[in-house]
Amino acid sequence: NIGGQTNRGMVYTFVYSGSGWDPSMVLTANDGLENDYFGNAVSVDSKYIAVGSVLHDDSRVNIGSVYSFTDFSSSSNWIFED
């Protein structure tokens, strides 16, 4: 839940510190709404994260979306790719 919007969704990222995993960032959809379920599916490959939002509404109801994030800085600074 984000700002009172139920099931909007978010994805937490972590960085390995050498002795354990530390929280890094929280990823959200820039156009997310209630009941989009952002984070329903997540795929990570090196410097890329793809996040599914299974019920995201665009021009049609519940069509779904995939959001792509990249990190080329080696500092876990994930950037949304439009």
Side-chain angles (χ1 to χ4, degrees), residues 7-80:
N7 301 319
R8 180 172 170 179
M10 60 183 70
V11 172
Y12 294 89
T13 64
F14 296 84
V15 175
Y16 189 69
S17 66
S19 61
W21 291 94
D22 297 324
S24 174
M25 289 184 71
V26 176
L27 306 177
T28 60
N30 59 338
D31 59 351
L33 298 171
E34 187 168 61
N35 295 318
D36 278 355
Y37 291 92
F38 177 86
N40 179 347
V42 177
S43 180
V44 179
D45 181 26
S46 183
K47 296 292 180 184
Y48 303 94
I49 297 177
V51 180
S53 184
V54 70
L55 296 180
H56 179 252
D57 301 330
D58 195 354
S59 59
R60 292 177 278 174
V61 174
N62 297 336
I63 191 168
S65 293
V66 174
Y67 296 81
S68 177
F69 298 85
T70 58
D71 175 23
F72 293 109
S73 67
S74 299
S75 64
S76 294
N77 185 25
W78 296 98
I79 301 167
F80 172 68

